[in-house]
Amino acid sequence: MLVSMKAILDDANRNYYGVMAMNSINIEMARAGIMAAEEEHSPIIMQFGPGQMKNHAHAEEMLPVIKELASRVHVPVALNLDHGSDFHTIADCINRGFTNVMYDGSSLPYEENVKRTAIITALAHGMGCSVEGELGHVGQADQEDDADTDLYTDPGLAMDFVEKTGIDALAVAIGTAHGAYPKGKIPKLDFERLHLLKETLHIPLVLHGGSGSGEENLRKAVAGGINKINVCTDAFEAGKTAMLKEIGKNPEIDYMHLCMAAEAGIKQFVKDYMKVIGSSGRYIYGAAKQAGNE
């Protein structure tokens, strides 16, 4: 059930829950995420960025895989281009059938970010594809950008940005960063800023750098209005940990069984994450409840 990311996030926005957007660079990750979503009766967003597509997650190979897997399940699945910046790459992804593209102009001067984001939105909407923009700048954890308040999203400017670009979701900078934080560190999020952004914009908000943010921060972020949470580093780590555990038990293990172990580890990680952010049980009748809100 491959759908627009807008359809997924509009429901999350109305009902105050989060949806996991997992960078998935091979069939094992895609299958782990989508089958976890089916078992949890949860929506999910599959995504990868231009660098990942160049190195390993080739769009011409991954898109048919994700379409096939999505056709087997009874929950909504979206396919997102993460952190797109090059016009031709973004247009190619829209043409291939991505159901959302993120245009990241956060490092550009404000007016140029507005101009380019509006162009991408007009292009994508004409093809039934939704768009995520970014205002403020979510930097790198190893450079301690999470603590640089100069990079945080300004609520007043965000309203102008949304109105001028027509985007469907906005990635905001409130204290997270991409990559792995120094050992033992949990970022401090600006929840007051988040509440003001939600009250001002009333659209789906996106948290980049969800890895390593801690369960308490994630729950509070969702309660404050975050609807999409990007996860890459923690998902990669879940697969790596599962593989290393199997090697430790059996150094002679073959490659196929390592791949199977990684997939199982990522699948369990995704299911646990969905419970934390409140998306479990959203797409089923009967007595099932949203685990994150119980």
Side-chain angles (χ1 to χ4, degrees), residues 2-160:
L2 196 63
V3 304
S4 166
M5 195 174 88
K6 173 178 169 56
I8 290 176
L9 294 187
D10 281 352
D11 186 74
N13 184 41
R14 285 191 297 269
N15 294 294
Y16 269 76
Y17 65 91
V19 180
M20 187 181 196
M22 185 175 71
N23 289 66
S24 304
I25 51 82
N26 59 18
I27 188 171
E28 287 81 18
M29 292 195 77
R31 191 162 51 204
I34 292 172
M35 293 306 137
E38 174 78 342
E39 292 179 16
E40 287 297 315
H41 310 288
S42 167
I44 192 167
I45 300 160
M46 298 282 101
Q47 63 181 24
F48 30 81
Q52 292 170 338
M53 286 195 295
K54 180 179 179 181
N55 291 332
H56 191 76
H58 307 136
E60 60 270 24
E61 298 156 3
M62 288 299 297
L63 183 53
V65 167
I66 290 171
K67 282 185 173 180
E68 170 60 29
L69 291 168
S71 73
R72 300 179 187 178
V73 299
H74 306 86
V75 293
V77 179
L79 175 58
N80 175 46
L81 172 67
D82 191 27
H83 288 286
S85 57
D86 176 71
F87 179 84
H88 289 98
T89 299
I90 295 171
D92 285 344
C93 287
I94 295 170
N95 279 329
R96 288 182 185 276
F98 280 61
T99 65
N100 191 86
V101 291
M102 181 210 177
Y103 175 69
D104 183 359
S106 61
S107 62
L108 298 172
Y110 177 71
E111 292 300 332
E112 189 64 20
N113 187 7
V114 169
K115 177 183 175 182
R116 295 189 183 191
T117 305
I119 290 171
I120 296 302
T121 303
L123 183 71
H125 282 180
M127 293 285 287
C129 176
S130 54
V131 178
E132 174 187 336
E134 181 171 337
L135 186 65
H137 183 66
V138 181
Q140 298 299 317
D142 60 5
Q143 298 175 23
E144 299 186 346
D145 287 336
D146 54 290
D148 186 351
T149 57
D150 290 339
L151 301 177
Y152 289 11
T153 306
D154 178 85
L157 203 58
M159 187 65 182
D160 182 71

Side-chain angles (χ1 to χ4, degrees), residues 180-200:
Y181 297 102
K183 188 174 182 179
K185 178 180 179 179
I186 296 178
K188 183 178 181 181
L189 275 58
D190 188 342
F191 292 108
E192 183 177 346
R193 185 182 300 264
L194 173 59
H195 283 289
L196 184 55
L197 283 162
K198 195 68 171 184
E199 289 176 359
T200 302

Side-chain angles (χ1 to χ4, degrees), residues 177-282:
H178 297 108
Y181 297 102
K183 188 174 182 179
K185 178 180 179 179
I186 296 178
K188 183 178 181 181
L189 275 58
D190 188 342
F191 292 108
E192 183 177 346
R193 185 182 300 264
L194 173 59
H195 283 289
L196 184 55
L197 283 162
K198 195 68 171 184
E199 289 176 359
T200 302
L201 303 176
H202 304 291
I203 69 168
L205 300 180
V206 181
L207 186 72
H208 283 243
S211 295
S213 295
E215 285 192 14
E216 183 179 355
N217 273 338
L218 291 175
R219 292 181 191 275
K220 289 180 67 176
V222 169
I226 290 293
N227 303 116
K228 172 178 179 268
I229 303 171
N230 282 26
V231 183
C232 180
T233 301
D234 281 354
F236 283 7
E237 188 65 25
K240 175 184 172 183
T241 298
M243 294 175 86
L244 289 175
K245 183 179 179 180
E246 290 303 308
I247 291 172
K249 292 193 295 186
N250 177 17
E252 304 302 318
I253 189 171
D254 62 34
Y255 177 65
M256 182 181 75
H257 286 86
L258 279 177
C259 289
M260 291 168 64
E263 183 174 333
I266 294 168
K267 182 180 178 181
Q268 187 59 53
F269 163 73
V270 172
K271 293 180 71 170
D272 292 341
Y273 207 95
M274 288 171 167
K275 291 181 175 70
V276 170
I277 63 177
S279 65
S280 291
R282 293 288 171 176

